[in-house]
Amino acid sequence: MKALLYKQFRLVCHPMALVFCLFGVMLIIPSYPYTVAFFYVTLGIFFTFMNVREQRDIYYAALLPICKRDTVKASVVFVAIIEVLSLVIAIPFAALSVHINSKGGNVVGMDPNVALFGAVLLLFALFNAIFLCSFYKTAYKVGMSYLKAVIPMSLGMIVCEALVHFPSMEWLDAVDRAGQMKQLPILAAGIVVYAVSLVLTYRCAADRYEKVDL
């Protein structure tokens, strides 16, 4: 797996996939839909899978002494690394945003808090499940797979940003210590759902890929 991940990063990882991981800096922008910063991460993943197709990495991997499931596992782990890295990089900018922007001052949607990171994990889980399972059904339809995944993810982003405008859901917008403590169950749920979905997504994608006649 270490060798396959090395191949993934050295041969097919699009440079913009790593650049988009730095877009957590957008969390310091006042009055901005912060989930958009993580939307770019999925765009980087899309570019990488375009490289997989255009550089015929699927066929190269098929020549290696590995099973098809290992190829899928390497891709799933690669996607997880990119997504988690983007979240880790965003954390200090979220903390900085709370100090330099007015508290609760994001009139567009969610403030950079614990609930935001939990919501992003859920959005990533949704994207991964649809995109990876769809792609490995054929191992070449990247654009259609991304379109299938990005539409429900975009709808989920709209829902997340809109929820905080309802009086009963204003607690999701809190940035103080007490308010964010109340949001911890959302973060915990996001972590659990994300982790479980990765396993299920891998199994689904691997099962589909094994049926593909290369």
Side-chain angles (χ1 to χ4, degrees):
M1 185 53 56
K2 182 179 179 180
L4 287 177
L5 283 174
Y6 181 79
K7 175 187 73 67
Q8 199 80 8
F9 277 96
R10 293 288 294 178
L11 297 184
V12 297
C13 178
H14 195 282
M16 290 307 297
L18 299 177
V19 172
F20 286 145
C21 286
L22 304 176
F23 274 35
V25 69
M26 296 171 71
L27 296 187
I28 66 175
I29 302 174
S31 297
Y32 188 82
Y34 294 133
T35 52
V36 172
F38 302 99
F39 170 84
Y40 284 104
V41 176
T42 68
L43 196 58
I45 292 170
F46 166 65
F47 289 159
T48 294
F49 277 80
M50 285 286 288
N51 271 352
V52 168
R53 186 187 68 184
E54 299 306 319
Q55 297 182 19
R56 298 183 180 276
D57 184 70
I58 288 291
Y59 299 102
Y60 171 67
L63 297 174
L64 299 176
I66 58 174
C67 62
K68 282 186 172 182
R69 301 186 78 86
D70 288 338
T71 300
V72 177
K73 184 183 293 186
S75 294
V76 172
V77 174
F78 167 81
V79 168
I81 290 174
I82 292 296
E83 292 172 344
V84 172
L85 178 62
S86 71
L87 288 168
V88 171
I89 291 175
I91 291 174
F93 294 108
L96 178 61
S97 179
V98 171
H99 286 88
I100 65 176
N101 295 321
S102 59
K103 294 184 178 180
N106 187 359
V107 298
V108 177
M110 300 184 74
D111 277 289
N113 55 21
V114 169
L116 173 66
F117 285 90
V120 170
L121 283 168
L122 294 174
L123 292 171
F124 278 159
L126 175 64
F127 171 82
N128 295 342
I130 300 174
F131 176 71
L132 292 172
C133 290
S134 177
F135 174 75
Y136 280 107
K137 187 176 181 179
T138 62
Y140 69 89
K141 291 185 178 180
V142 187
M144 183 57 68
S145 299
Y146 184 71
L147 186 61
K148 289 179 180 178
V150 80
I151 291 176
M153 180 183 177
S154 298
L155 294 175
M157 290 167 57
I158 293 173
V159 170
C160 290
E161 300 289 1
L163 275 178
V164 297
H165 294 291
F166 291 90
S168 60
M169 305 298 289
E170 287 182 348
W171 60 278
L172 292 174
D173 221 19
V175 292
D176 60 289
R177 181 183 296 272
Q180 294 200 64
M181 288 296 289
K182 292 176 60 177
Q183 299 165 5
L184 285 177
I186 296 177
L187 178 61
I191 293 172
V192 171
V193 171
Y194 182 78
V196 172
S197 72
L198 277 181
V199 176
L200 297 179
T201 297
Y202 158 68
R203 291 179 179 176
C204 174
D207 288 344
R208 289 187 171 188
Y209 184 47
E210 285 186 331
K211 298 176 183 176
V212 175
D213 185 3
L214 297 175

Coordinates of all heavy atoms in Angstrom, one line a residue, residues 45-91:
I45 N -9.6 16.6 -6.4 CA -9.7 15.1 -6.5 C -10.2 14.8 -8.0 O -9.7 13.8 -8.6 CB -10.7 14.6 -5.5 CG1 -10.1 14.8 -4.1 CG2 -11.0 13.1 -5.7 CD1 -11.1 14.5 -3.0
F46 N -11.1 15.6 -8.5 CA -11.6 15.3 -9.9 C -10.4 15.5 -10.9 O -10.3 14.6 -11.7 CB -12.7 16.4 -10.2 CG -13.0 16.5 -11.6 CD1 -13.6 15.4 -12.3 CD2 -12.8 17.6 -12.3 CE1 -13.9 15.5 -13.7 CE2 -13.1 17.7 -13.7 CZ -13.7 16.6 -14.3
F47 N -9.6 16.5 -10.7 CA -8.4 16.7 -11.6 C -7.5 15.5 -11.5 O -6.9 15.1 -12.5 CB -7.7 18.0 -11.2 CG -8.4 19.2 -11.6 CD1 -8.1 20.4 -11.0 CD2 -9.4 19.2 -12.5 CE1 -8.7 21.6 -11.3 CE2 -10.1 20.4 -12.8 CZ -9.8 21.6 -12.2
T48 N -7.3 15.0 -10.3 CA -6.4 13.8 -10.2 C -7.0 12.6 -10.9 O -6.2 11.9 -11.5 CB -6.2 13.5 -8.7 OG1 -5.5 14.6 -8.0 CG2 -5.4 12.2 -8.5
F49 N -8.2 12.3 -10.8 CA -8.8 11.2 -11.4 C -8.9 11.4 -13.0 O -8.9 10.4 -13.7 CB -10.2 10.9 -10.9 CG -10.2 10.0 -9.6 CD1 -9.9 10.6 -8.4 CD2 -10.4 8.7 -9.7 CE1 -9.8 9.8 -7.3 CE2 -10.3 7.9 -8.6 CZ -10.0 8.5 -7.3
M50 N -8.9 12.6 -13.4 CA -8.7 12.9 -14.8 C -7.3 12.5 -15.3 O -7.1 11.9 -16.3 CB -8.9 14.4 -15.1 CG -10.3 14.9 -15.1 SD -11.3 14.4 -16.5 CE -10.6 15.5 -17.8
N51 N -6.3 12.7 -14.4 CA -5.0 12.3 -14.7 C -4.9 10.7 -14.7 O -4.2 10.2 -15.6 CB -4.0 12.8 -13.6 CG -3.4 14.1 -14.0 OD1 -3.6 14.6 -15.1 ND2 -2.7 14.7 -13.1
V52 N -5.6 10.1 -13.8 CA -5.7 8.6 -13.8 C -6.1 8.1 -15.1 O -5.6 7.1 -15.7 CB -6.6 8.1 -12.7 CG1 -6.9 6.6 -12.8 CG2 -6.0 8.4 -11.3
R53 N -7.2 8.7 -15.7 CA -7.7 8.3 -17.0 C -6.8 8.6 -18.1 O -6.4 7.8 -18.9 CB -9.1 8.9 -17.2 CG -9.7 8.4 -18.5 CD -11.0 9.1 -18.8 NE -10.7 10.5 -19.2 CZ -11.7 11.4 -19.4 NH1 -13.0 11.1 -19.3 NH2 -11.4 12.7 -19.8
E54 N -6.3 9.9 -18.2 CA -5.5 10.4 -19.3 C -4.2 9.7 -19.4 O -3.6 9.5 -20.5 CB -5.4 11.9 -19.3 CG -6.7 12.6 -19.4 CD -7.5 12.2 -20.5 OE1 -7.0 12.0 -21.6 OE2 -8.8 12.1 -20.4
Q55 N -3.6 9.4 -18.2 CA -2.3 8.8 -18.2 C -2.3 7.3 -18.2 O -1.3 6.6 -18.0 CB -1.5 9.3 -17.0 CG -1.2 10.8 -17.0 CD -0.4 11.3 -15.8 OE1 0.3 10.5 -15.1 NE2 -0.4 12.5 -15.5
R56 N -3.6 6.8 -18.3 CA -3.8 5.3 -18.4 C -3.2 4.6 -17.1 O -2.7 3.5 -17.2 CB -3.2 4.7 -19.7 CG -3.9 5.3 -20.9 CD -3.3 4.6 -22.2 NE -4.0 5.2 -23.4 CZ -5.1 4.8 -23.9 NH1 -5.8 3.8 -23.3 NH2 -5.6 5.3 -24.9
D57 N -3.4 5.2 -16.0 CA -2.9 4.7 -14.8 C -3.6 3.4 -14.4 O -3.1 2.5 -13.8 CB -3.0 5.7 -13.6 CG -2.4 5.2 -12.3 OD1 -1.2 5.0 -12.2 OD2 -3.2 4.9 -11.4
I58 N -4.9 3.3 -14.8 CA -5.7 2.1 -14.5 C -5.1 0.9 -15.2 O -4.9 -0.2 -14.6 CB -7.1 2.3 -15.0 CG1 -7.9 3.3 -14.1 CG2 -7.9 0.9 -15.1 CD1 -8.2 2.7 -12.7
Y59 N -4.6 1.1 -16.4 CA -4.0 0.0 -17.2 C -2.6 -0.4 -16.7 O -2.2 -1.5 -16.6 CB -4.0 0.3 -18.7 CG -5.4 0.5 -19.3 CD1 -5.8 1.8 -19.5 CD2 -6.2 -0.5 -19.5 CE1 -7.1 2.1 -20.0 CE2 -7.5 -0.3 -20.0 CZ -7.9 1.0 -20.3 OH -9.2 1.2 -20.8
Y60 N -1.9 0.7 -16.2 CA -0.6 0.5 -15.7 C -0.7 -0.3 -14.4 O 0.0 -1.3 -14.1 CB 0.1 1.8 -15.4 CG 1.3 1.7 -14.6 CD1 2.5 1.1 -15.1 CD2 1.4 2.2 -13.2 CE1 3.6 1.0 -14.3 CE2 2.5 2.1 -12.5 CZ 3.7 1.5 -13.0 OH 4.8 1.4 -12.3
A61 N -1.7 0.0 -13.5 CA -1.9 -0.7 -12.3 C -2.3 -2.1 -12.5 O -2.0 -3.0 -11.8 CB -3.0 0.0 -11.4
A62 N -3.0 -2.4 -13.6 CA -3.5 -3.7 -14.0 C -2.3 -4.6 -14.3 O -2.4 -5.9 -14.2 CB -4.5 -3.7 -15.1
L63 N -1.2 -4.0 -14.7 CA 0.0 -4.8 -15.1 C 0.9 -5.1 -13.9 O 1.7 -6.0 -14.0 CB 0.8 -4.1 -16.1 CG 0.2 -3.8 -17.5 CD1 1.1 -2.9 -18.3 CD2 -0.1 -5.1 -18.2
L64 N 0.6 -4.5 -12.8 CA 1.4 -4.7 -11.6 C 0.9 -6.0 -10.9 O -0.3 -6.4 -11.0 CB 1.2 -3.5 -10.6 CG 1.7 -2.2 -11.1 CD1 1.4 -1.1 -10.1 CD2 3.2 -2.2 -11.4
P65 N 1.7 -6.6 -10.1 CA 1.4 -7.8 -9.4 C 0.5 -7.5 -8.1 O 0.9 -7.9 -7.0 CB 2.7 -8.4 -9.0 CG 3.6 -7.3 -8.8 CD 3.2 -6.3 -9.9
I66 N -0.6 -6.9 -8.4 CA -1.5 -6.6 -7.3 C -3.0 -6.9 -7.7 O -3.2 -7.0 -8.9 CB -1.5 -5.1 -6.9 CG1 -1.8 -4.2 -8.1 CG2 -0.1 -4.7 -6.3 CD1 -1.9 -2.7 -7.8
C67 N -3.9 -7.1 -6.8 CA -5.3 -7.3 -7.2 C -6.0 -6.0 -7.4 O -5.5 -4.9 -7.0 CB -6.0 -8.1 -6.1 SG -6.1 -7.3 -4.5
K68 N -7.1 -6.1 -8.0 CA -7.9 -4.9 -8.3 C -8.3 -4.1 -7.1 O -8.4 -2.9 -7.1 CB -9.1 -5.2 -9.2 CG -8.9 -5.5 -10.6 CD -10.2 -5.7 -11.4 CE -10.0 -5.8 -12.9 NZ -11.3 -6.0 -13.6
R69 N -8.6 -4.8 -6.0 CA -9.1 -4.2 -4.8 C -8.0 -3.3 -4.2 O -8.3 -2.3 -3.6 CB -9.5 -5.3 -3.8 CG -10.6 -6.2 -4.3 CD -11.1 -7.1 -3.2 NE -12.0 -6.4 -2.3 CZ -13.3 -6.2 -2.4 NH1 -13.9 -6.7 -3.5 NH2 -14.0 -5.6 -1.5
D70 N -6.7 -3.7 -4.4 CA -5.6 -2.8 -3.9 C -5.6 -1.5 -4.6 O -5.2 -0.5 -4.0 CB -4.3 -3.6 -4.0 CG -4.1 -4.7 -3.1 OD1 -4.8 -4.7 -2.0 OD2 -3.3 -5.7 -3.4
T71 N -5.9 -1.5 -5.9 CA -5.9 -0.3 -6.7 C -7.0 0.7 -6.1 O -6.7 1.9 -6.0 CB -6.2 -0.6 -8.2 OG1 -5.2 -1.4 -8.7 CG2 -6.3 0.7 -9.0
V72 N -8.1 0.1 -5.8 CA -9.2 0.9 -5.3 C -8.9 1.4 -3.9 O -9.1 2.6 -3.5 CB -10.5 0.1 -5.2 CG1 -11.7 0.9 -4.6 CG2 -10.9 -0.3 -6.7
K73 N -8.3 0.5 -3.1 CA -7.9 0.9 -1.7 C -6.9 2.1 -1.7 O -7.1 3.0 -0.9 CB -7.3 -0.3 -1.0 CG -7.0 0.0 0.5 CD -6.3 -1.2 1.2 CE -7.2 -2.3 1.3 NZ -6.6 -3.5 2.1
A74 N -6.0 2.1 -2.6 CA -5.0 3.1 -2.7 C -5.7 4.5 -3.1 O -5.4 5.5 -2.5 CB -3.9 2.8 -3.7
S75 N -6.6 4.4 -4.0 CA -7.4 5.6 -4.4 C -8.2 6.2 -3.2 O -8.3 7.4 -3.0 CB -8.3 5.3 -5.6 OG -7.5 5.0 -6.7
V76 N -8.9 5.3 -2.5 CA -9.7 5.7 -1.4 C -8.8 6.3 -0.3 O -9.2 7.4 0.3 CB -10.5 4.5 -0.8 CG1 -11.2 4.9 0.5 CG2 -11.5 4.0 -1.8
V77 N -7.7 5.7 0.0 CA -6.8 6.3 1.0 C -6.2 7.6 0.6 O -6.1 8.5 1.4 CB -5.6 5.3 1.3 CG1 -4.6 5.9 2.3 CG2 -6.2 4.0 2.0
F78 N -5.9 7.7 -0.7 CA -5.4 9.0 -1.3 C -6.4 10.1 -1.1 O -6.1 11.2 -0.6 CB -5.1 8.8 -2.7 CG -4.8 10.1 -3.5 CD1 -3.6 10.7 -3.4 CD2 -5.9 10.7 -4.2 CE1 -3.4 11.9 -4.1 CE2 -5.7 11.9 -4.9 CZ -4.4 12.5 -4.8
V79 N -7.7 9.8 -1.4 CA -8.7 10.8 -1.3 C -8.9 11.2 0.2 O -9.0 12.4 0.5 CB -10.1 10.2 -1.8 CG1 -11.2 11.1 -1.4 CG2 -10.0 10.1 -3.4
A80 N -8.8 10.2 1.1 CA -9.0 10.5 2.5 C -7.8 11.4 3.0 O -8.1 12.3 3.8 CB -9.0 9.2 3.3
I81 N -6.6 11.1 2.5 CA -5.5 11.9 2.9 C -5.6 13.4 2.5 O -5.4 14.3 3.3 CB -4.2 11.4 2.4 CG1 -3.8 10.0 3.1 CG2 -3.0 12.3 2.5 CD1 -2.6 9.3 2.4
I82 N -6.1 13.6 1.2 CA -6.3 14.9 0.7 C -7.3 15.7 1.5 O -7.2 16.8 1.9 CB -6.7 14.9 -0.8 CG1 -5.5 14.3 -1.6 CG2 -7.1 16.2 -1.3 CD1 -4.3 15.3 -1.6
E83 N -8.5 15.0 1.8 CA -9.6 15.6 2.5 C -9.2 16.0 3.9 O -9.5 17.1 4.4 CB -10.8 14.7 2.4 CG -11.4 14.6 1.0 CD -12.5 13.6 0.9 OE1 -12.6 12.7 1.8 OE2 -13.2 13.6 -0.1
V84 N -8.6 15.0 4.6 CA -8.2 15.3 6.0 C -7.2 16.3 6.1 O -7.2 17.2 7.0 CB -7.7 13.9 6.7 CG1 -7.2 14.2 8.1 CG2 -8.9 12.9 6.8
L85 N -6.2 16.3 5.2 CA -5.2 17.3 5.1 C -5.8 18.7 5.0 O -5.4 19.7 5.7 CB -4.2 17.1 4.0 CG -3.1 18.1 3.8 CD1 -2.2 18.1 5.0 CD2 -2.3 17.8 2.5
S86 N -6.8 18.9 4.1 CA -7.4 20.2 3.9 C -8.1 20.6 5.2 O -8.1 21.8 5.5 CB -8.4 20.1 2.8 OG -9.6 19.3 3.2
L87 N -8.7 19.7 6.0 CA -9.3 20.1 7.2 C -8.3 20.5 8.3 O -8.5 21.5 9.0 CB -10.2 18.9 7.7 CG -11.4 18.6 7.0 CD1 -12.0 17.2 7.4 CD2 -12.5 19.7 7.2
V88 N -7.2 19.8 8.4 CA -6.2 20.1 9.3 C -5.6 21.5 9.1 O -5.4 22.3 10.0 CB -5.1 19.0 9.3 CG1 -3.9 19.4 10.2 CG2 -5.6 17.7 9.8
I89 N -5.3 21.7 7.8 CA -4.8 23.0 7.4 C -5.7 24.2 7.7 O -5.4 25.3 8.1 CB -4.4 23.0 5.9 CG1 -3.2 22.1 5.7 CG2 -4.1 24.5 5.4 CD1 -2.8 21.9 4.2
A90 N -7.0 23.9 7.6 CA -8.1 24.9 7.8 C -8.3 25.3 9.3 O -8.7 26.4 9.6 CB -9.4 24.4 7.2
I91 N -7.9 24.4 10.2 CA -8.1 24.6 11.6 C -7.5 25.9 12.1 O -8.2 26.7 12.8 CB -7.7 23.4 12.5 CG1 -8.5 22.2 12.2 CG2 -7.7 23.8 14.0 CD1 -8.1 20.9 12.9

